[in-house]
Amino acid sequence: LFEEHSRQESLDRQKIISHAGEVRAILESELNATIHLASGLVAFIQVKKGDYKLAEIEPWLISLQKQESSIRNITLAPDNRIQTIVPRLGNESALGMYFPENKDQWPAVERVISSQRPVLAGPFELKQGGIGLAYRVPVFLENGKYWGLVSTVLDAELVFAKAKRRGEELQLRFAIIDLDLAPNAKPLYGKIDTQHSIVSRLKVNAPGRRIEIQAMTAPTDQNQIFTHIQRLAGWLVALILS
């Protein structure tokens, strides 16, 4: 019984690791879909030496935004002020926002500029409503001068909902943890229950962030039945020997 129980545990562990890998692939696909988009946009701005016309760039941005359902909007912020946002409809309140005046977002934006590297920020509340994840890229021109920010904002609830849906299909319990804020901060998604044992920790490839998926398992009725059978067998053997 003990060997059968151990074998079953090993099979369950392998299954959970495999399922966690599927959820991670969905997350990485959603989070990294914006990287190539932003890279092309940055290259365009650098070629134009920071001087672009909305009429020539807006149709292209609208087409890109429609291709990814999780992309909430794409923003260009010369000198840290949002000047262009696509789509404009529903995001009017964010136009003209000056990042240094936004107490919630400016510290993260300032770190992006100082590091000169792209970073995935959030989740945070958006001025136009909802919860967002922002892939921010600081743009520097050929002469080394800082131009501004290119941001691709994702709908955080939609991104996590896709991972949640697949997790439910696979009957997988998991939480998404921001290792930069752990152990004091709450998970980005899900929760860690002390009654669950963590089976797998998988790192998620996200720019500028240390994120991991923690897949968990809980004691099942089958495991409890095995335990009761083992105890009963032990008591019977002890009684017979006595």
Side-chain angles (χ1 to χ4, degrees):
L1 285 172
F2 175 76
E3 288 180 357
E4 175 61 23
H5 178 54
S6 298
R7 187 185 70 84
Q8 188 61 45
E9 275 192 340
S10 177
L11 291 175
D12 290 342
R13 182 181 297 272
Q14 293 175 18
K15 183 171 68 174
I16 289 173
I17 292 173
S18 174
H19 290 172
E22 288 190 42
V23 173
R24 178 179 65 175
I26 292 173
L27 271 177
E28 289 183 344
S29 175
E30 292 295 322
L31 295 177
N32 295 326
T34 60
I35 292 179
H36 301 297
L37 186 155
S39 298
L41 191 52
V42 170
F44 176 83
I45 293 172
Q46 289 173 336
V47 168
K48 292 290 184 178
K49 298 182 179 179
D51 185 18
Y52 68 91
K53 294 181 180 179
L54 182 59
E56 65 181 353
I57 199 174
E58 189 173 32
W60 178 48
L61 294 180
I62 291 174
S63 176
L64 291 173
Q65 188 268 335
K66 287 182 178 179
Q67 291 177 19
E68 293 291 340
S69 59
S70 58
I71 295 179
R72 179 77 177 267
N73 58 64
I74 304 169
T75 65
L76 279 68
D79 297 322
N80 298 325
R81 186 181 297 276
I82 297 179
Q83 185 182 84
T84 302
I85 187 166
V86 173
R88 184 184 294 266
L89 184 63
N91 295 301
E92 297 90 341
S93 59
L95 271 173
M97 188 183 78
Y98 188 48
F99 281 112
E101 294 177 353
N102 189 308
K103 296 180 181 179
D104 294 330
Q105 297 190 38
W106 175 242
V109 171
E110 196 172 24
R111 287 195 295 271
V112 171
I113 297 171
S114 61
S115 69
Q116 300 186 17
R117 293 181 179 179
V119 170
L120 179 71
F124 52 80
E125 292 186 6
L126 298 171
K127 190 174 181 179
Q128 60 270 41
I131 305 298
L133 289 164
Y135 178 66
R136 296 184 176 128
V137 185
V139 182
F140 292 85
L141 303 180
E142 291 183 359
N143 57 9
K145 181 182 177 182
Y146 171 69
W147 175 85
L149 281 176
V150 168
S151 302
T152 307
V153 179
L154 300 172
D155 187 328
E157 295 175 348
L158 183 58
V159 171
F160 293 144
K162 290 182 179 181
K164 177 185 177 183
R165 192 181 307 117
R166 185 54 180 158
E168 290 175 347
E169 291 173 356
L170 297 171
Q171 298 182 341
L172 178 72
R173 299 174 184 268
F174 70 93
I176 303 172
I177 309 296
D178 187 345
L179 298 179
D180 293 326
L181 300 178
N184 299 323
K186 63 180 181 180
L188 300 179
Y189 170 80
K191 62 181 181 179
I192 300 295
D193 194 328
T194 54
Q195 295 181 350
H196 294 67
S197 58
I198 297 175
V199 173
S200 175
R201 297 175 184 265
L202 299 179
K203 291 184 179 180
V204 178
N205 182 23
R209 293 288 288 276
R210 294 192 306 127
I211 299 175
E212 75 173 14
I213 290 178
Q214 293 184 1
M216 296 159 284
T217 183
T220 62
D221 293 337
Q222 184 179 7
N223 290 341
Q224 294 176 0
I225 291 173
F226 270 120
T227 301
H228 293 319
I229 291 175
Q230 290 172 18
R231 288 177 178 173
L232 180 60
W235 291 334
L236 289 175
V237 170
L239 179 60
I240 291 171
L241 290 174
S242 299

